[in-house]
Coordinates of all heavy atoms in Angstrom, one line a residue:
M281 N 123.8 181.0 136.2 CA 125.1 181.3 136.7 C 125.5 180.3 137.7 O 124.7 179.8 138.6 CB 125.0 182.7 137.4 CG 126.4 183.1 138.0 SD 126.4 184.8 138.7 CE 126.5 185.7 137.2
R282 N 126.8 179.9 137.7 CA 127.3 178.9 138.6 C 127.4 179.6 140.0 O 127.9 180.7 140.2 CB 128.7 178.4 138.2 CG 129.2 177.4 139.1 CD 130.6 176.8 138.6 NE 130.3 175.8 137.6 CZ 130.7 176.0 136.3 NH1 131.4 177.1 135.9 NH2 130.4 175.1 135.4
M283 N 126.8 178.9 141.0 CA 126.8 179.5 142.4 C 127.3 178.4 143.4 O 127.2 177.2 143.1 CB 125.4 179.8 142.8 CG 124.7 180.8 141.8 SD 125.4 182.4 141.8 CE 124.7 183.1 143.3
M284 N 127.8 178.9 144.5 CA 128.2 178.0 145.6 C 127.4 178.4 146.8 O 127.4 179.6 147.2 CB 129.7 178.1 145.9 CG 130.1 177.1 147.0 SD 131.9 177.2 147.4 CE 132.0 178.8 148.2
L285 N 126.7 177.4 147.3 CA 126.0 177.6 148.6 C 126.7 176.8 149.7 O 127.0 175.7 149.5 CB 124.6 177.1 148.4 CG 123.7 177.2 149.7 CD1 122.3 177.4 149.3 CD2 123.8 176.0 150.6
R286 N 127.0 177.5 150.8 CA 127.6 176.9 151.9 C 126.7 177.1 153.1 O 126.3 178.2 153.4 CB 129.0 177.4 152.2 CG 129.6 176.8 153.5 CD 131.0 177.0 153.7 NE 131.8 176.3 152.7 CZ 132.8 176.8 152.0 NH1 133.2 178.0 152.2 NH2 133.4 176.1 151.1
A287 N 126.3 176.0 153.7 CA 125.4 176.1 154.9 C 126.0 175.5 156.1 O 126.5 174.3 156.0 CB 124.1 175.4 154.6
R288 N 126.1 176.3 157.1 CA 126.6 175.8 158.4 C 125.4 175.5 159.3 O 124.7 176.4 159.7 CB 127.5 176.8 159.1 CG 128.8 176.9 158.3 CD 129.7 178.0 158.9 NE 130.9 178.1 158.2 CZ 131.1 178.9 157.0 NH1 130.1 179.5 156.6 NH2 132.2 178.9 156.4
L289 N 125.2 174.2 159.6 CA 124.0 173.8 160.3 C 124.1 174.0 161.8 O 125.1 173.7 162.4 CB 123.7 172.3 160.0 CG 123.8 171.9 158.5 CD1 123.4 170.4 158.4 CD2 122.9 172.7 157.6
D290 N 123.0 174.4 162.4 CA 122.9 174.4 163.9 C 123.0 173.0 164.4 O 122.3 172.1 164.0 CB 121.5 175.0 164.3 CG 121.4 175.1 165.8 OD1 120.9 174.1 166.3 OD2 121.8 176.1 166.4
T291 N 123.9 172.8 165.4 CA 124.2 171.5 165.9 C 123.0 170.8 166.5 O 122.7 169.7 166.2 CB 125.4 171.5 166.8 OG1 126.5 172.0 166.1 CG2 125.8 170.1 167.3
Q292 N 122.3 171.5 167.4 CA 121.2 170.9 168.1 C 120.1 170.6 167.2 O 119.5 169.5 167.2 CB 120.7 171.8 169.3 CG 121.7 171.8 170.4 CD 121.2 172.7 171.6 OE1 120.9 173.9 171.4 NE2 121.0 172.1 172.7
I293 N 119.8 171.5 166.3 CA 118.7 171.3 165.3 C 119.0 170.2 164.4 O 118.2 169.3 164.1 CB 118.3 172.6 164.6 CG1 117.8 173.6 165.6 CG2 117.3 172.3 163.5 CD1 117.6 175.0 165.0
S294 N 120.3 170.1 163.9 CA 120.6 169.1 163.0 C 120.8 167.7 163.7 O 120.5 166.7 163.0 CB 121.9 169.4 162.2 OG 123.0 169.6 163.0
N295 N 121.1 167.7 164.9 CA 121.1 166.4 165.7 C 119.7 165.8 165.7 O 119.5 164.6 165.5 CB 121.6 166.7 167.2 CG 123.1 166.8 167.3 OD1 123.8 166.5 166.4 ND2 123.5 167.3 168.5
E296 N 118.7 166.7 166.0 CA 117.4 166.2 166.0 C 116.9 165.8 164.6 O 116.2 164.8 164.4 CB 116.4 167.3 166.5 CG 115.0 166.8 166.7 CD 114.8 165.6 167.6 OE1 115.6 165.5 168.6 OE2 113.9 164.8 167.4
A297 N 117.3 166.5 163.6 CA 117.0 166.2 162.2 C 117.6 164.9 161.8 O 116.9 164.1 161.0 CB 117.4 167.3 161.3
I298 N 118.7 164.5 162.3 CA 119.3 163.2 162.0 C 118.5 162.1 162.6 O 118.2 161.1 162.0 CB 120.8 163.2 162.4 CG1 121.7 164.1 161.5 CG2 121.3 161.8 162.4 CD1 123.1 164.3 162.0
K299 N 118.2 162.4 163.9 CA 117.4 161.4 164.7 C 116.1 161.1 164.0 O 115.6 159.9 164.0 CB 117.2 161.8 166.1 CG 118.5 161.8 166.9 CD 118.3 162.3 168.3 CE 119.6 162.4 169.1 NZ 119.4 163.0 170.4
N300 N 115.4 162.1 163.6 CA 114.0 161.9 163.0 C 114.0 161.7 161.5 O 112.9 161.5 160.9 CB 113.1 163.0 163.5 CG 113.4 164.3 162.8 OD1 113.9 164.4 161.7 ND2 113.0 165.4 163.5
G301 N 115.1 161.7 160.9 CA 115.2 161.4 159.5 C 115.0 162.6 158.5 O 115.1 162.4 157.3
S302 N 114.7 163.7 159.1 CA 114.4 164.9 158.2 C 115.6 165.4 157.5 O 115.5 166.0 156.5 CB 113.6 165.9 159.0 OG 114.4 166.5 160.1
L303 N 116.8 165.3 158.1 CA 118.0 165.8 157.5 C 118.2 165.0 156.2 O 118.5 165.7 155.1 CB 119.2 165.7 158.4 CG 120.5 166.2 157.8 CD1 120.4 167.7 157.5 CD2 121.7 166.0 158.7
Q304 N 118.1 163.7 156.2 CA 118.3 162.9 155.0 C 117.3 163.3 153.9 O 117.7 163.5 152.7 CB 118.2 161.4 155.3 CG 119.3 160.9 156.2 CD 118.9 161.0 157.7 OE1 118.3 162.0 158.2 NE2 119.3 160.0 158.5
K305 N 116.1 163.5 154.3 CA 115.0 163.9 153.4 C 115.3 165.3 152.8 O 115.1 165.5 151.6 CB 113.7 163.9 154.1 CG 112.5 164.2 153.2 CD 111.2 164.2 154.0 CE 110.1 164.6 153.1 NZ 108.8 164.9 153.8
L306 N 115.7 166.2 153.6 CA 115.9 167.6 153.1 C 117.1 167.6 152.2 O 117.0 168.2 151.1 CB 116.2 168.5 154.3 CG 116.5 170.0 153.9 CD1 115.3 170.6 153.3 CD2 116.9 170.7 155.2
V307 N 118.2 166.9 152.5 CA 119.3 166.8 151.6 C 118.9 166.2 150.2 O 119.3 166.7 149.2 CB 120.5 166.1 152.2 CG1 121.6 165.7 151.2 CG2 121.1 166.9 153.4
Q308 N 118.1 165.2 150.3 CA 117.6 164.5 149.0 C 116.8 165.5 148.2 O 117.0 165.7 147.0 CB 116.8 163.3 149.3 CG 116.3 162.6 148.1 CD 115.5 161.3 148.4 OE1 115.5 160.9 149.5 NE2 114.9 160.8 147.4
E309 N 115.9 166.2 148.9 CA 115.0 167.2 148.2 C 115.8 168.3 147.6 O 115.6 168.7 146.4 CB 114.0 167.8 149.1 CG 112.9 166.8 149.5 CD 112.0 167.3 150.6 OE1 112.2 168.4 151.2 OE2 111.0 166.5 151.0
L310 N 116.8 168.8 148.3 CA 117.6 169.9 147.8 C 118.5 169.5 146.6 O 118.7 170.2 145.7 CB 118.5 170.5 148.9 CG 117.8 171.3 150.0 CD1 118.6 171.6 151.2 CD2 117.4 172.7 149.3
T311 N 119.0 168.2 146.7 CA 119.8 167.7 145.6 C 118.9 167.6 144.4 O 119.4 167.9 143.3 CB 120.4 166.3 146.0 OG1 121.2 166.6 147.2 CG2 121.2 165.8 144.9
E312 N 117.7 167.1 144.5 CA 116.8 167.0 143.4 C 116.5 168.4 142.8 O 116.4 168.5 141.6 CB 115.5 166.2 143.8 CG 115.8 164.8 144.0 CD 114.6 164.1 144.7 OE1 113.5 164.7 144.9 OE2 114.7 162.9 145.0
T313 N 116.3 169.4 143.7 CA 115.9 170.7 143.2 C 117.1 171.4 142.6 O 117.0 172.0 141.5 CB 115.4 171.6 144.4 OG1 114.3 170.9 145.0 CG2 115.1 173.0 144.0
L314 N 118.3 171.4 143.2 CA 119.4 172.1 142.8 C 120.2 171.4 141.6 O 120.8 172.1 140.8 CB 120.4 172.3 143.9 CG 120.0 173.2 145.1 CD1 121.0 173.2 146.2 CD2 119.6 174.6 144.6
K315 N 120.1 170.1 141.6 CA 120.8 169.3 140.6 C 122.3 169.8 140.6 O 122.8 170.3 139.5 CB 120.2 169.5 139.2 CG 118.8 168.9 139.1 CD 118.2 169.1 137.8 CE 116.8 168.5 137.6 NZ 115.8 168.9 138.6
P316 N 123.0 169.7 141.7 CA 124.3 170.3 141.8 C 125.3 169.5 141.0 O 125.2 168.3 140.8 CB 124.6 170.2 143.3 CG 123.8 169.0 143.8 CD 122.6 169.1 142.9
E317 N 126.3 170.3 140.5 CA 127.5 169.6 139.8 C 128.4 169.0 140.8 O 129.2 168.2 140.5 CB 128.2 170.6 138.9 CG 128.9 171.7 139.5 CD 129.6 172.6 138.5 OE1 128.9 173.3 137.7 OE2 130.8 172.7 138.6
A318 N 128.3 169.5 142.1 CA 129.1 169.0 143.2 C 128.3 169.2 144.5 O 127.7 170.3 144.6 CB 130.5 169.6 143.2
A319 N 128.5 168.3 145.4 CA 127.9 168.5 146.8 C 128.9 167.8 147.8 O 129.3 166.7 147.5 CB 126.5 167.8 146.9
Y320 N 129.2 168.6 148.8 CA 130.2 168.1 149.8 C 129.6 168.3 151.2 O 128.8 169.3 151.5 CB 131.5 168.9 149.7 CG 132.1 168.9 148.3 CD1 131.9 169.9 147.4 CD2 132.8 167.7 148.0 CE1 132.5 169.8 146.2 CE2 133.4 167.7 146.7 CZ 133.2 168.7 145.8 OH 133.8 168.6 144.6
F321 N 129.9 167.4 152.1 CA 129.4 167.4 153.5 C 130.6 167.2 154.4 O 131.4 166.3 154.2 CB 128.4 166.4 153.6 CG 127.3 166.5 152.6 CD1 127.4 165.8 151.4 CD2 126.2 167.3 152.8 CE1 126.4 165.9 150.4 CE2 125.2 167.4 151.9 CZ 125.3 166.7 150.7
G322 N 130.7 168.0 155.5 CA 131.8 167.8 156.4 C 131.8 168.9 157.5 O 130.9 169.7 157.5
P323 N 132.8 168.8 158.4 CA 132.8 169.8 159.5 C 133.4 171.1 159.0 O 134.2 171.2 158.1 CB 133.8 169.2 160.5 CG 134.7 168.3 159.6 CD 133.8 167.8 158.5
S324 N 132.9 172.2 159.7 CA 133.4 173.6 159.4 C 133.1 174.4 160.7 O 131.9 174.3 161.2 CB 132.7 174.2 158.2 OG 133.2 175.5 158.0
D325 N 134.0 175.2 161.1 CA 133.8 176.0 162.3 C 133.2 175.2 163.5 O 132.4 175.7 164.2 CB 132.9 177.2 161.9 CG 133.6 178.2 161.0 OD1 134.8 178.3 161.0 OD2 132.9 178.8 160.2
G326 N 133.7 174.0 163.6 CA 133.2 173.2 164.8 C 131.8 172.6 164.6 O 131.3 172.1 165.6
G327 N 131.2 172.7 163.5 CA 129.9 172.1 163.3 C 129.7 171.5 161.9 O 130.7 171.3 161.2
R328 N 128.5 171.1 161.6 CA 128.2 170.4 160.3 C 128.1 171.5 159.2 O 127.5 172.6 159.5 CB 126.9 169.7 160.4 CG 127.0 168.5 161.3 CD 125.6 167.7 161.4 NE 125.7 166.6 162.3 CZ 125.3 166.7 163.5 NH1 124.7 167.8 164.0 NH2 125.4 165.6 164.3
C329 N 128.5 171.1 158.1 CA 128.5 172.0 156.9 C 128.2 171.2 155.7 O 128.6 170.1 155.5 CB 129.8 172.7 156.8 SG 129.9 173.9 155.5
C330 N 127.5 171.9 154.8 CA 127.3 171.3 153.4 C 127.5 172.4 152.4 O 127.3 173.6 152.6 CB 125.9 170.7 153.3 SG 124.5 171.7 153.5
T331 N 128.1 172.0 151.3 CA 128.4 172.9 150.2 C 127.9 172.3 148.9 O 128.1 171.2 148.6 CB 129.9 173.1 150.1 OG1 130.4 173.5 151.3 CG2 130.3 174.1 149.0
F332 N 127.1 173.2 148.2 CA 126.6 172.8 146.9 C 127.1 173.7 145.8 O 127.1 174.9 146.0 CB 125.1 172.8 146.9 CG 124.4 171.8 147.8 CD1 124.1 172.2 149.1 CD2 124.1 170.6 147.3 CE1 123.4 171.3 149.9 CE2 123.5 169.7 148.1 CZ 123.1 170.0 149.5
V333 N 127.5 173.2 144.7 CA 127.8 174.0 143.5 C 126.7 173.7 142.5 O 126.5 172.5 142.1 CB 129.2 173.7 142.9 CG1 129.5 174.5 141.7 CG2 130.3 174.0 144.0
F334 N 126.0 174.7 142.1 CA 124.9 174.5 141.2 C 124.6 175.7 140.3 O 125.3 176.8 140.4 CB 123.6 174.3 142.1 CG 123.2 175.5 142.9 CD1 122.2 176.3 142.5 CD2 123.9 175.8 144.1 CE1 121.8 177.4 143.2 CE2 123.5 176.9 144.8 CZ 122.5 177.7 144.4
D335 N 123.8 175.6 139.3 CA 123.4 176.6 138.4 C 122.1 177.3 138.8 O 121.1 176.6 139.0 CB 123.3 176.0 137.0 CG 123.0 177.1 135.9 OD1 123.7 178.1 136.0 OD2 122.1 176.9 135.1
M336 N 122.2 178.6 139.1 CA 121.0 179.4 139.4 C 120.6 180.2 138.2 O 121.3 181.0 137.7 CB 121.3 180.3 140.6 CG 120.0 181.0 141.0 SD 120.0 182.2 142.4 CE 121.3 181.7 143.4
Q337 N 119.4 179.9 137.7 CA 118.9 180.6 136.5 C 118.5 182.0 136.8 O 118.6 182.8 135.9 CB 117.7 179.8 135.9 CG 118.0 178.4 135.5 CD 119.0 178.4 134.3 OE1 118.9 179.1 133.4 NE2 120.0 177.5 134.4
D338 N 118.0 182.3 138.0 CA 117.4 183.6 138.3 C 117.6 183.8 139.8 O 117.4 182.9 140.6 CB 116.0 183.6 137.9 CG 115.4 185.0 137.9 OD1 114.9 185.4 139.0 OD2 115.4 185.7 136.9
S339 N 117.9 185.1 140.1 CA 118.1 185.4 141.6 C 116.8 185.2 142.4 O 116.8 185.1 143.6 CB 118.6 186.8 141.7 OG 117.7 187.8 141.2
S340 N 115.6 185.2 141.7 CA 114.4 185.0 142.4 C 114.3 183.6 143.0 O 113.4 183.3 143.9 CB 113.2 185.2 141.5 OG 113.2 184.2 140.5
Q341 N 115.2 182.7 142.7 CA 115.3 181.3 143.2 C 115.8 181.3 144.6 O 115.7 180.3 145.4 CB 116.1 180.4 142.3 CG 115.5 180.1 141.0 CD 116.5 179.3 140.1 OE1 117.4 179.9 139.5 NE2 116.3 178.0 140.2
M342 N 116.5 182.4 145.0 CA 117.2 182.4 146.3 C 116.3 182.1 147.5 O 116.7 181.2 148.3 CB 118.0 183.7 146.5 CG 119.4 183.5 146.3 SD 120.4 184.9 146.9 CE 120.3 186.0 145.4
P343 N 115.2 182.7 147.6 CA 114.3 182.3 148.8 C 114.0 180.9 148.9 O 114.1 180.3 150.0 CB 113.1 183.2 148.6 CG 113.6 184.4 147.8 CD 114.6 183.8 146.9
S344 N 113.6 180.3 147.8 CA 113.2 178.8 147.8 C 114.4 177.9 148.1 O 114.2 176.8 148.7 CB 112.5 178.4 146.6 OG 113.3 178.5 145.4
I345 N 115.6 178.4 147.7 CA 116.8 177.6 148.0 C 117.2 177.8 149.5 O 117.5 176.8 150.2 CB 117.9 178.0 147.1 CG1 117.6 177.6 145.6 CG2 119.2 177.4 147.5 CD1 118.5 178.2 144.6
A346 N 117.2 179.0 150.0 CA 117.7 179.3 151.3 C 116.7 178.9 152.4 O 117.2 178.5 153.5 CB 118.0 180.8 151.4
E347 N 115.5 179.1 152.3 CA 114.5 178.9 153.4 C 114.5 177.6 154.0 O 114.5 177.5 155.3 CB 113.1 179.3 152.9 CG 112.8 180.8 152.9 CD 113.2 181.5 154.2 OE1 112.8 181.0 155.3 OE2 113.8 182.6 154.1
P348 N 114.7 176.5 153.3 CA 114.7 175.2 154.0 C 115.9 175.1 155.0 O 115.8 174.5 156.1 CB 114.8 174.1 152.9 CG 114.2 174.8 151.7 CD 114.6 176.3 151.9
F349 N 117.0 175.7 154.6 CA 118.2 175.7 155.5 C 117.9 176.5 156.7 O 118.2 176.1 157.9 CB 119.4 176.2 154.8 CG 120.0 175.3 153.8 CD1 119.8 175.5 152.4 CD2 120.7 174.2 154.1 CE1 120.3 174.7 151.5 CE2 121.3 173.3 153.2 CZ 121.1 173.6 151.9
F350 N 117.3 177.7 156.6 CA 117.0 178.6 157.7 C 115.9 177.9 158.6 O 116.1 177.8 159.8 CB 116.4 179.9 157.2 CG 117.4 180.8 156.5 CD1 117.1 181.5 155.4 CD2 118.7 180.9 157.0 CE1 118.0 182.3 154.7 CE2 119.7 181.7 156.3 CZ 119.3 182.4 155.2
S351 N 114.8 177.6 158.0 CA 113.6 177.2 158.8 C 113.7 175.8 159.4 O 113.2 175.5 160.5 CB 112.3 177.3 158.0 OG 112.4 176.4 156.8
E352 N 114.4 174.9 158.7 CA 114.4 173.5 159.1 C 115.7 173.1 159.8 O 115.7 172.1 160.6 CB 114.2 172.5 157.9 CG 112.8 172.7 157.3 CD 112.5 171.7 156.2 OE1 112.8 170.6 156.3 OE2 111.8 172.2 155.2
L353 N 116.8 173.8 159.6 CA 118.1 173.5 160.2 C 118.7 174.6 160.9 O 119.8 174.4 161.5 CB 119.0 173.0 159.1 CG 118.5 171.7 158.3 CD1 119.4 171.4 157.1 CD2 118.5 170.5 159.2
G354 N 118.1 175.7 161.0 CA 118.7 176.8 161.7 C 120.1 177.2 161.2 O 121.0 177.6 161.9
A355 N 120.3 177.1 159.9 CA 121.6 177.2 159.3 C 121.9 178.7 159.0 O 121.1 179.5 158.9 CB 121.6 176.4 158.0
K356 N 123.2 178.9 159.0 CA 123.8 180.2 158.5 C 124.3 179.8 157.1 O 125.1 178.9 156.9 CB 124.9 180.7 159.4 CG 124.4 181.0 160.8 CD 125.6 181.5 161.6 CE 125.0 181.8 163.0 NZ 126.0 182.3 163.9
I357 N 123.9 180.6 156.1 CA 124.3 180.3 154.7 C 125.0 181.4 154.0 O 124.8 182.6 154.4 CB 123.1 179.8 153.9 CG1 122.1 181.0 153.6 CG2 122.3 178.7 154.5 CD1 121.2 180.7 152.4
E358 N 125.7 181.1 153.0 CA 126.4 182.0 152.1 C 126.1 181.5 150.7 O 126.2 180.3 150.5 CB 127.9 182.0 152.3 CG 128.3 182.5 153.7 CD 129.8 182.3 153.9 OE1 130.5 182.0 152.9 OE2 130.3 182.5 155.0
I359 N 125.8 182.4 149.8 CA 125.6 182.0 148.4 C 126.5 183.0 147.6 O 126.3 184.2 147.7 CB 124.1 182.1 148.0 CG1 123.3 181.2 148.8 CG2 124.0 181.8 146.5 CD1 121.8 181.3 148.5
H360 N 127.4 182.4 146.8 CA 128.3 183.2 146.0 C 128.4 182.8 144.6 O 128.4 181.6 144.3 CB 129.7 183.1 146.6 CG 129.9 183.5 148.0 ND1 129.9 184.8 148.4 CD2 130.0 182.7 149.1 CE1 130.1 184.8 149.8 NE2 130.1 183.6 150.2
P361 N 128.5 183.7 143.6 CA 128.8 183.3 142.3 C 130.2 182.9 142.2 O 131.1 183.4 142.9 CB 128.6 184.6 141.5 CG 128.8 185.7 142.4 CD 128.4 185.2 143.8
I362 N 130.5 181.8 141.5 CA 131.8 181.3 141.4 C 132.1 180.9 139.9 O 131.2 180.8 139.1 CB 132.0 180.0 142.3 CG1 131.0 178.9 141.9 CG2 132.0 180.4 143.7 CD1 131.3 177.6 142.6
M363 N 133.4 180.6 139.6 CA 133.9 180.2 138.3 C 134.7 178.9 138.4 O 135.3 178.7 139.4 CB 134.8 181.2 137.7 CG 134.1 182.6 137.4 SD 135.3 183.7 136.6 CE 136.3 184.1 138.0
N364 N 134.6 178.1 137.4 CA 135.6 177.0 137.3 C 136.8 177.5 136.4 O 136.8 178.7 136.0 CB 134.9 175.7 136.7 CG 134.4 175.9 135.3 OD1 134.8 176.9 134.6 ND2 133.6 175.0 134.8
A365 N 137.8 176.7 136.2 CA 139.0 177.1 135.5 C 138.6 177.6 134.0 O 139.2 178.6 133.6 CB 140.0 176.0 135.4
E366 N 137.7 176.9 133.4 CA 137.3 177.3 132.0 C 136.6 178.7 132.0 O 136.9 179.6 131.2 CB 136.3 176.3 131.5 CG 135.9 176.6 130.1 CD 135.0 175.5 129.6 OE1 135.3 174.3 129.7 OE2 133.9 175.8 129.0
D367 N 135.8 179.0 133.0 CA 135.1 180.3 133.1 C 136.2 181.4 133.4 O 136.1 182.5 132.8 CB 134.1 180.3 134.3 CG 133.0 179.4 134.2 OD1 132.6 179.0 133.0 OD2 132.4 178.9 135.2
L368 N 137.1 181.1 134.2 CA 138.2 182.1 134.5 C 139.0 182.4 133.3 O 139.2 183.6 133.0 CB 139.1 181.5 135.6 CG 140.3 182.4 136.0 CD1 139.8 183.8 136.5 CD2 141.2 181.7 137.0
Q369 N 139.4 181.4 132.5 CA 140.1 181.6 131.3 C 139.3 182.5 130.3 O 139.9 183.4 129.7 CB 140.5 180.3 130.6 CG 141.6 179.6 131.4 CD 142.9 180.4 131.7 OE1 143.3 181.0 130.7 NE2 143.4 180.3 132.8
K370 N 138.0 182.2 130.2 CA 137.2 183.0 129.3 C 137.1 184.4 129.8 O 137.2 185.4 129.0 CB 135.8 182.3 129.3 CG 134.8 183.0 128.4 CD 133.5 182.3 128.4 CE 132.4 183.0 127.5 NZ 131.1 182.3 127.6
G371 N 136.9 184.6 131.1 CA 136.8 186.0 131.7 C 138.1 186.7 131.5 O 138.1 187.9 131.2
L372 N 139.3 186.1 131.7 CA 140.5 186.8 131.6 C 140.8 187.1 130.1 O 141.4 188.2 129.8 CB 141.7 185.9 132.1 CG 141.7 185.7 133.7 CD1 142.7 184.7 134.1 CD2 141.8 187.0 134.4
G373 N 140.4 186.2 129.2 CA 140.5 186.5 127.8 C 139.8 187.7 127.4 O 140.2 188.5 126.6
A374 N 138.6 187.9 128.0 CA 137.7 189.0 127.6 C 138.3 190.4 128.1 O 138.1 191.4 127.4 CB 136.3 188.9 128.2
I375 N 139.0 190.4 129.2 CA 139.6 191.7 129.7 C 140.9 192.0 128.9 O 141.4 193.1 129.0 CB 139.8 191.7 131.2 CG1 140.8 190.7 131.6 CG2 138.5 191.6 131.9 CD1 141.2 190.7 133.1
Q376 N 141.5 191.1 128.2 CA 142.7 191.3 127.5 C 142.5 191.9 126.1 O 143.4 192.2 125.4 CB 143.6 190.1 127.5 CG 144.1 189.6 128.8 CD 144.8 188.3 128.8 OE1 144.9 187.6 127.8 NE2 145.4 188.0 129.9
R377 N 141.2 192.0 125.7 CA 140.9 192.5 124.4 C 140.8 194.0 124.3 O 140.6 194.7 125.1 CB 139.6 191.9 123.9 CG 139.7 190.4 123.7 CD 138.4 189.8 123.2 NE 138.6 188.4 123.2 CZ 137.6 187.5 123.3 NH1 136.4 187.9 123.3 NH2 137.9 186.2 123.3

């Protein structure tokens, strides 16, 4: 299922992670694990934020996806199922039958 993960990073912890190189390493590892169709990085709510759109095969993957953000970056995260335009059209077509 297509999912969107948005992580708002703790500023002090992510400052240190940038200085010691662990932020770059974590982002690379998460990108390799998630194989996102899209990844975005920028400010949100006055701090650093990253957003990944990826395919989650099973909900049991949530802990392994979320824990690095919690434990290494002190992040607040949200994970939501989402649709692209094609998915929406397919879903709307199904309810019209």
Side-chain angles (χ1 to χ4, degrees):
M281 175 177 287
R282 182 177 282 115
M283 304 294 282
M284 182 180 70
L285 179 147
R286 176 166 291 136
R288 290 177 181 85
L289 312 183
D290 177 272
T291 300
Q292 287 183 300
I293 295 171
S294 59
N295 282 347
E296 186 58 36
I298 289 170
K299 289 177 187 174
N300 68 28
S302 63
L303 181 62
Q304 296 89 319
K305 181 181 176 192
L306 179 63
V307 168
Q308 180 179 352
E309 289 171 357
L310 286 166
T311 301
E312 290 170 2
T313 299
L314 296 176
K315 296 176 180 54
E317 67 181 65
Y320 303 100
F321 307 89
S324 178
D325 293 328
R328 292 182 182 96
C329 181
C330 59
T331 303
F332 294 92
V333 176
F334 65 100
D335 184 46
M336 186 180 333
Q337 297 297 317
D338 191 272
S339 60
S340 66
Q341 293 175 275
M342 256 191 274
S344 64
I345 292 168
E347 280 308 315
F349 288 104
F350 293 139
S351 63
E352 297 183 40
L353 298 171
K356 295 180 180 179
I357 71 164
E358 300 172 8
I359 300 176
H360 302 282
I362 59 169
M363 297 181 286
N364 63 16
E366 183 179 310
D367 297 334
L368 177 61
Q369 291 301 319
K370 182 178 177 183
L372 292 173
I375 62 174
Q376 293 175 352
R377 293 182 187 157

